[in-house]
């Protein structure tokens, strides 16, 4: 009996020394999983939109903001995919799985197609309007997650998303006043 307790103690000590601790939440909470599965394609769509600014935007400030958004959202996508993978959850939800709670918030693909045909002042104005609405959708999803999620790290990400997207929206509104 004493040998068994010693083995358990040594195993726990090895986890602590290695920086790992036993985790009883190896599976994702359904609400956290749903949030991540919705936010990943939302972010991917945002990245696709802001990538267009590199060679279409007339405003250097808008190009810089777009590059920052692209970098931030790409990093967040990696984090969200990592969590889902570590929980053994799929990166995408089955079709129509979000219909019961208002469906997935996304920008109409025709808006993105429209952006692809614009340049200069027209592009700047249209991108800002579309992106403000797109980022507001992210804010709404993040607020929902902050109040209903189970994993603190996912809730913390949602809180960061909310704060950063609100700040981006305010900045984009100021850009619109200058366009």
């Amino acid at each position: 009996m004493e040998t068994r307790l010693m083995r358990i103690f040594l195993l726990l000590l090895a986890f602590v020394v290695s920086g790992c601790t036993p985790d009883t939440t190896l599976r994702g909470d359904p609400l956290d999983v749903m949030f991540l599965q919705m936010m990943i394609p939302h972010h991917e769509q945002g990245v696709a939109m802001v990538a267009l600014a590199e060679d279409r935007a007339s405003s250097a400030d808008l190009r810089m903001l777009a590059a920052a958004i692209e970098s931030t959202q790409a990093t967040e996508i990696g984090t969200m995919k990592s969590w889902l993978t570590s929980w053994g959850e799929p990166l995408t939800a089955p079709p129509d799985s979000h219909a019961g709670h208002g469906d997935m918030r996304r920008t109409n693909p025709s808006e993105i197609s429209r952006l692809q045909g614009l340049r200069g002042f027209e592009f700047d104005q249209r991108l800002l309007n579309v992106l403000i609405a797109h980022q507001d959708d992210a804010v709404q999803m993040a607020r929902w997650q902050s109040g209903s999620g189970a994993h603190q790290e996912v809730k913390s990400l949602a809180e960061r998303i909310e704060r950063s997207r609100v700040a981006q929206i305010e900045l984009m509104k100021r850009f619109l006043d200058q366009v």
Side-chain angles (χ1 to χ4, degrees), residues 8-22:
I8 292 171
F9 173 76
L10 290 175
L11 182 61
L12 287 174
L13 181 62
F15 277 127
V16 171
V17 170
S18 70
C20 299
T21 56

Side-chain angles (χ1 to χ4, degrees), residues 7-177:
R7 285 183 189 160
I8 292 171
F9 173 76
L10 290 175
L11 182 61
L12 287 174
L13 181 62
F15 277 127
V16 171
V17 170
S18 70
C20 299
T21 56
D23 188 356
T24 58
T25 59
L26 294 177
R27 301 281 306 165
D29 173 79
L31 294 176
D32 293 331
V33 169
M34 181 174 56
F35 170 73
L36 297 174
Q37 289 175 338
M38 289 173 60
M39 194 58 80
I40 289 169
H42 187 272
H43 272 38
E44 290 171 340
Q45 194 178 43
V47 167
M49 280 191 289
V50 297
L52 297 171
E54 184 177 353
D55 64 350
R56 287 176 173 78
S58 63
S59 165
D61 289 339
L62 181 53
R63 285 191 304 273
M64 189 172 8
L65 175 62
I69 290 171
E70 185 174 7
S71 175
T72 299
Q73 291 192 184
T75 300
E76 290 170 352
I77 289 167
T79 298
M80 293 184 287
K81 285 181 175 182
S82 172
W83 287 335
L84 288 171
T85 300
S86 73
W87 296 337
E89 298 288 348
L91 299 180
T92 57
D96 298 328
S97 62
H98 302 300
H101 54 80
D103 212 359
M104 166 103 157
R105 294 177 182 229
R106 54 186 253 138
T107 300
N108 188 322
S110 67
E111 287 291 346
I112 298 171
S113 294
R114 184 174 172 200
L115 283 169
Q116 292 171 336
L118 300 175
R119 291 191 176 284
F121 168 79
E122 266 189 294
F123 174 84
D124 293 2
Q125 191 172 37
R126 190 75 208 140
L127 177 64
L128 288 167
N129 280 301
V130 171
L131 199 52
I132 286 169
H134 184 82
Q135 297 300 59
D136 186 65
D137 286 343
V139 169
Q140 301 314 312
M141 288 191 287
R143 285 181 178 157
W144 172 82
Q145 172 62 21
S146 297
S148 62
H151 287 80
Q152 186 55 49
E153 64 270 9
V154 179
K155 289 173 81 166
S156 294
L157 173 65
E159 291 164 1
R160 287 191 309 274
I161 288 171
E162 178 184 354
R163 284 191 309 271
S164 70
R165 289 357 176 240
V166 165
Q168 289 170 10
I169 289 167
E170 291 306 312
L171 183 59
M172 288 187 285
K173 286 178 179 177
R174 287 198 300 270
F175 286 177
L176 265 178
D177 290 340

